[in-house]
Amino acid sequence: MAPVVAAAPQVLVDESTRLANSTVARIVKASKGGSLSDPTIKKQCVEKLQKINGELKGRIADADALAAHEAMKSGITGALGCDHTKLISVLCTRTKAALQRTRQAYRKAYDKDLAKEVASETSGVLGSNYGKMMSYALDGPEEYVADLIHAACHGMGC
């Protein structure tokens, strides 16, 4: 299944380009002689392209959620363990916003919290710091700051 996930970004880029080109062409053609310099046509194109962009981001989040799930369930024993390399490639190559979309897609697909699953799956062999790092990547800004304050205070005997 890994080759499908690896090929997914190029497929999404190709699809994005195709949709963008056809969408812009259809909007301009429907305007009967208009051009992209017309503010109304430009606005229609931008709105449609923003919608397509949002859909593509959703597809990427779905693919990343699937890849993360597979990574956490594809360790040495098959059902147990974690493919850490695959998990890192999924979670450490995305922006914070993309990770939040992936977290939402994971919850929708598996009815589980991705951050908790990652922390659970990564806390064994590589130690708790690895699991904390991965879960920090998935946390929202408020949770991250709260965890940092907690960690800082813990070291001071709080």
Side-chain angles (χ1 to χ4, degrees):
M1 189 70 166
V4 173
V5 174
Q10 185 57 45
V11 169
L12 292 171
V13 167
D14 293 345
E15 180 68 4
S16 173
T17 302
R18 185 190 68 75
L19 287 171
N21 290 340
S22 65
T23 300
V24 171
R26 277 184 286 159
I27 292 171
V28 171
K29 185 177 178 182
S31 70
K32 298 179 182 176
S35 72
L36 283 176
S37 60
D38 181 352
T40 304
I41 294 172
K42 190 182 290 186
K43 182 178 178 188
Q44 290 174 342
C45 288
V46 167
E47 288 171 351
K48 186 66 174 178
L49 292 174
Q50 286 174 336
K51 181 180 176 191
I52 291 169
N53 186 39
E55 291 169 0
L56 288 172
K57 286 178 180 180
R59 290 181 188 176
I60 292 168
D62 291 342
D64 284 350
L66 174 63
H69 181 74
E70 289 175 350
M72 289 187 284
K73 304 304 177 203
S74 64
I76 296 170
T77 60
L80 299 172
C82 181
D83 181 345
H84 296 284
T85 303
K86 187 174 184 179
L87 188 60
I88 289 169
S89 71
V90 171
L91 299 181
C92 294
T93 59
R94 300 289 186 246
T95 65
K96 194 78 161 166
L99 286 172
Q100 291 305 313
R101 287 189 295 274
T102 299
R103 189 175 184 181
Q104 291 169 352
Y106 193 90
R107 169 138 344 253
K108 183 178 176 184
Y110 304 105
D111 197 30
K112 295 180 180 178
D113 182 57
L114 181 58
K116 289 178 182 175
E117 291 292 299
V118 166
S120 171
E121 289 291 329
T122 58
S123 63
V125 177
L126 296 176
S128 62
N129 288 336
Y130 173 77
K132 285 180 185 176
M133 177 199 64
M134 297 298 278
S135 65
Y136 286 154
L138 294 164
D139 282 345
E142 302 82 16
E143 295 163 313
Y144 176 73
V145 170
D147 285 341
L148 286 178
I149 292 170
H150 175 75
C153 288
H154 183 71
M156 295 172 30
C158 298

